[in-house]
Amino acid sequence: MATVPWADTLNDPLAELVEQAQRGDRVALAELIRETQDRVYNLAYRILGNAQEAEDLTQEVFVRMWRALPRFRGDSKFTTWLHTIATNACLNRKRSLRRQLDTQLDAANWLDALPSAEDGPAEDLLARDERTRLWEMVERLPEKYRLVLTLFYQQQLTYQEIAQVLTLPLGTVKAHLNRARNALAASLEKVGIR
Amino acid sequence: MTNCQDIQGLLPQYVADGQPAAGEYAAVRAHLNSCTNCLATVELLQYVETGLSDWPLQPASPDLTNRILAAIDREAPIEPWRLLPWNIWLPALTLLVALALAIFLTPSMQGELGTVSWIEPVKAVPLQVQFSADPALLLALWIGFSTAVCGIGITLALVHGRLPDEEELDHVRHRLSDKAHRLWRLAGQ
């Protein structure tokens, strides 16, 4: 079995697949894509807010990943590296789509746009799964908060890895996350879930 | 006594860190013992924390992997210089080099390899190296050199290469037959 010098140090479960894919193993490449495509798709969906756009972008991200794969030397975990490519691609696409997709909320007024208890019958509100509503609330947060929330909770990246992906100071990442948590708590209170 | 405004700013991280009792959060714990308002915020934040920790990844379309692989294939034209996979052409090249050496260093040339002279550039002292014209020695040198070249190529292929799979072999067969067909047509003209 081929040895990967950086696999042990970073404890990367995908190291073996990455190394095989770098050597041109198509089966390993397919497996690597299967293992990570949902992460990229969810990140893209969280930023773009559109399933079709998210799938198109996921495809584009993996083509970029494949082009850059020979240069990947394992300085970070593969998923951290992939998230960096995906985040940059998503933010670039978002910028180009901003005029077409009218989903961007004004960051200053986003809290007002959250659903309130008067938005529907009380029975409907109660019938909805509370957790699902919480995840839906994330969609209404400003982009920078959605991004850190999905990277931390859904993609399971550490604070340090998020800082690396977003090229932000560690303190800024924690501050964004804490503001996002506060915002979600405030919106839970507003809709009367808690 | 610490006021609510100071404490509220610490609560999200306090909850995210698992509400530890000691260290920097000692003041927070003390405040929560006496403030129902901040305690209610902690409960909300705890609900957010638990809810987000269960946040699942939504699966993409089942055929997305195939579409990605197809997109990668479209991006990967075969480079014109890359007639064969390197783990095939490297040993083949070394064998060709050995063959070329065998042709051009045959004993028929040994008579021309009599004496070779170099002028040492700094001291300008003529330096002469005498070559033996012994055919047996030249033959031995040729065998040693070409064997070494072959050995290096095959060793490199064994160490870094791998056996080509069926798809690659099909590709090689296709390209070789294509080249042969073109050569045949050229020869016919």
Side-chain angles (χ1 to χ4, degrees), chain A residues 26 34 37-38 42 46 55 59 62-63 66-67 130-131 134-135 138 153-154 159 178 181-182 188 194, chain B residues 12-13 16 44 47-52 54-58 60-61 65 67-68 71-73 75-76:
Chain A
R26 191 181 163 84
R34 257 190 295 277
Q37 68 180 16
D38 284 351
N42 277 260
R46 208 63 56 206
E55 288 212 347
Q59 193 171 306
F62 278 102
V63 171
W66 175 79
R67 281 194 207 126
E130 290 187 353
R131 292 267 165 93
L134 176 67
W135 303 329
V138 175
Y153 289 104
Q154 208 173 27
Y159 293 120
N178 286 335
R181 289 167 181 139
N182 264 337
L188 283 174
R194 289 277 127 177
Chain B
Q13 197 61 53
L44 277 170
Y47 183 80
V48 169
E49 193 68 25
T50 311
L52 291 178
D54 293 342
W55 200 6
L57 288 172
Q58 299 297 317
S61 301
T65 310
R67 280 192 281 142
I68 291 168
I72 286 173
D73 286 343
E75 288 284 316

Side-chain angles (χ1 to χ4, degrees), chain B residues 11-34:
Chain B
L11 291 182
Q13 197 61 53
Y14 167 70
V15 173
D17 289 347
Q19 304 188 32
E24 58 185 311
Y25 295 119
V28 175
R29 298 278 289 199
H31 179 82
L32 290 175
N33 284 334
S34 59

Side-chain angles (χ1 to χ4, degrees), chain A residues 121-137:
Chain A
E123 303 81 49
D124 287 354
L125 285 174
L126 290 171
R128 286 197 203 179
D129 178 47
E130 290 187 353
R131 292 267 165 93
T132 308
R133 292 211 67 202
L134 176 67
W135 303 329
E136 285 170 2
M137 285 173 184

Side-chain angles (χ1 to χ4, degrees), chain A residues 33-101:
Chain A
I33 292 169
R34 257 190 295 277
E35 285 286 327
T36 52
Q37 68 180 16
D38 284 351
R39 286 163 166 261
V40 175
Y41 168 73
N42 277 260
L43 179 64
Y45 181 76
R46 208 63 56 206
I47 294 175
L48 301 175
N50 178 289
Q52 186 55 52
E53 283 289 343
E55 288 212 347
D56 289 349
L57 193 84
T58 304
Q59 193 171 306
E60 186 184 318
V61 165
F62 278 102
V63 171
R64 287 189 195 188
M65 179 278 287
W66 175 79
R67 281 194 207 126
L69 194 59
R71 297 192 297 276
F72 177 66
R73 289 288 170 264
D75 298 329
S76 62
K77 281 166 74 173
F78 174 75
T79 46
T80 308
W81 180 73
L82 180 63
H83 275 107
T84 308
I85 297 173
T87 305
N88 289 335
C90 289
L91 294 176
N92 285 339
R93 176 69 66 88
K94 180 72 176 178
R95 274 191 278 274
S96 68
L97 288 175
R98 196 156 275 168
R99 287 181 185 173
Q100 300 165 37
L101 295 174

Side-chain angles (χ1 to χ4, degrees), chain B residues 12 112 153 160 174:
Chain B
E112 297 171 22
H160 297 289
H174 174 74

Side-chain angles (χ1 to χ4, degrees), chain B residues 21 29-30 38 46 61 77 103 115 118-119 127 129 137 139 144 155 167:
Chain B
R29 298 278 289 199
C38 286
Q46 184 57 56
S61 301
I103 292 168
T115 301
W118 287 280
I119 304 292
L127 180 68
V129 178
L137 180 61
L139 192 63
T155 305
E167 193 180 344

Side-chain angles (χ1 to χ4, degrees), chain A residues 142-175:
Chain A
E143 183 178 280
K144 61 183 177 182
Y145 296 155
R146 288 203 309 273
L147 192 52
V148 289
L149 283 175
T150 191
L151 289 175
F152 187 75
Y153 289 104
Q154 208 173 27
Q155 315 274 340
Q156 311 266 304
L157 267 63
T158 64
Y159 293 120
Q160 194 68 51
E161 286 168 342
I162 297 172
Q164 195 178 337
V165 166
L166 301 178
T167 58
L168 287 173
L170 193 61
T172 307
V173 170
K174 287 187 174 180

